[in-house]
């Protein structure tokens, strides 16, 4: 974690729980996919959460990844900077996140810039990359490189059409959430506050 001292107490427990969600096997799969997808001479990082963070931290690999998912000439990030300045690196991560959301990754699946840059939640970074891979496999537009079995296909739209007659029949049915009084009666009930009569 960059620029932060050790945490104690509840903060430490929370950080340990976040760190337990990180999956080393998933890291290997994601690294292999990113290198294959970018089809460039990208260096393979050593295994481990810290190395994975350092590999992605400047944002260049992420920007190359999102650009590779678009046809040539339609890349969302025009200029990828290899700057060592912190604000430039964080800006590139933000550009990747905006492009991923535009590509189809849900907002709830997208990590925060500090999750990667400070290494706060690398499991969230993995979730975003998994979601990006799933969207790429689902789109099936010829830009995805890699095994289709590496990522789950997202559910597709399943529209249903009903005829006018079916819709009219549905208006005559009382839904179960409205309740039912079949078999119910008020026999034997007394008013509130009245004592029970035992004979």
């Amino acid at each position: 974690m960059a620029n932060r001292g050790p945490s104690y107490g509840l903060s430490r427990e929370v950080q340990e729980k976040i760190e337990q969600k990180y999956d080393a096997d998933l890291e290997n799969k994601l690294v292999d996919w990113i290198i294959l997808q970018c089809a460039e001479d990208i260096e393979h990082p050593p295994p481990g959460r810290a190395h994975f963070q350092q590999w992605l931290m400047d944002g260049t690999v992420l920007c190359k990844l999102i650009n590779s998912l678009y046809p040539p000439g339609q890349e969302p990030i025009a200029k990828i900077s290899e700057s060592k300045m912190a604000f430039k690196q964080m800006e590139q991560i933000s550009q990747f996140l905006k492009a991923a959301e535009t590509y189809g990754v849900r907002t709830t699946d997208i990590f925060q810039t500090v999750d990667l840059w400070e290494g706060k939640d690398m499991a969230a970074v993995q979730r975003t990359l998994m979601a990006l891979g799933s969207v790429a496999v689902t789109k099936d537009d010829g830009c995805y490189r890699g095994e289709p079995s590496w990522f789950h296909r997202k559910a597709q739209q399943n529209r249903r059409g009903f005829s006018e007659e079916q819709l009219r029949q549905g208006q005559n049915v009382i839904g179960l959430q409205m309740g039912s009084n079949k078999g119910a009666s008020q026999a034997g009930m007394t008013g509130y506050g009245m004592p029970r009569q035992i004979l």
Side-chain angles (χ1 to χ4, degrees):
M1 291 187 256
N3 303 325
R4 291 192 309 161
S7 55
Y8 300 97
L10 184 60
S11 298
R12 181 72 191 147
E13 288 179 31
V14 169
Q15 189 60 39
E16 284 175 355
K17 282 190 176 184
I18 289 171
E19 288 172 5
Q20 287 174 356
K21 293 179 182 177
Y22 186 81
D23 187 349
D25 295 332
L26 180 57
E27 173 198 313
N28 293 330
K29 185 167 86 168
L30 289 170
V31 167
D32 291 342
W33 173 59
I34 291 169
I35 290 172
L36 185 64
Q37 180 66 41
C38 292
E40 289 185 30
D41 194 20
I42 297 176
E43 189 177 317
H44 200 287
R49 178 191 358 253
H51 295 295
F52 187 59
Q53 180 210 356
Q54 287 295 321
W55 188 58
L56 298 175
M57 196 170 96
D58 64 357
T60 55
V61 173
L62 294 173
C63 290
K64 288 176 182 177
L65 172 64
I66 195 71
N67 279 350
S68 70
L69 293 171
Y70 283 86
Q74 298 179 12
E75 293 90 352
I77 301 171
K79 186 178 182 220
I80 300 173
S81 170
E82 306 236 351
S83 174
K84 300 289 181 212
M85 298 171 77
F87 75 93
K88 282 284 188 189
Q89 293 177 351
M90 292 179 86
E91 183 181 11
Q92 283 198 153
I93 295 170
S94 295
Q95 285 179 328
F96 164 76
L97 295 174
K98 285 178 192 162
E101 192 172 355
T102 304
Y103 188 71
V105 178
R106 291 183 311 180
T107 310
T108 54
D109 289 333
I110 291 182
F111 66 88
Q112 301 293 314
T113 304
V114 293
D115 290 341
L116 171 58
W117 207 82
E118 293 183 4
K120 282 186 174 182
D121 191 357
M122 291 304 292
V125 175
Q126 288 183 324
R127 281 193 306 274
T128 300
L129 293 172
M130 282 296 293
L132 181 65
S134 293
V135 172
V137 167
T138 305
K139 280 191 175 188
D140 199 21
D141 57 3
C143 293
Y144 173 80
R145 297 180 196 105
E147 287 292 320
S149 61
W150 285 353
F151 300 101
H152 299 291
R153 283 190 179 275
K154 297 255 183 210
Q156 296 297 306
Q157 188 173 352
N158 186 6
R159 294 191 65 101
R160 291 169 174 83
F162 296 102
S163 68
E164 286 295 323
E165 183 181 333
Q166 289 173 317
L167 292 172
R168 266 195 310 277
Q169 287 175 348
Q171 291 174 347
N172 298 332
V173 176
I174 297 174
L176 291 177
Q177 66 267 31
M178 293 179 192
S180 171
N181 65 352
K182 291 185 180 175
S185 74
Q186 293 182 340
M189 292 186 70
T190 59
Y192 290 114
M194 291 181 63
R196 195 182 223 183
Q197 302 297 319
I198 301 173
L199 301 174

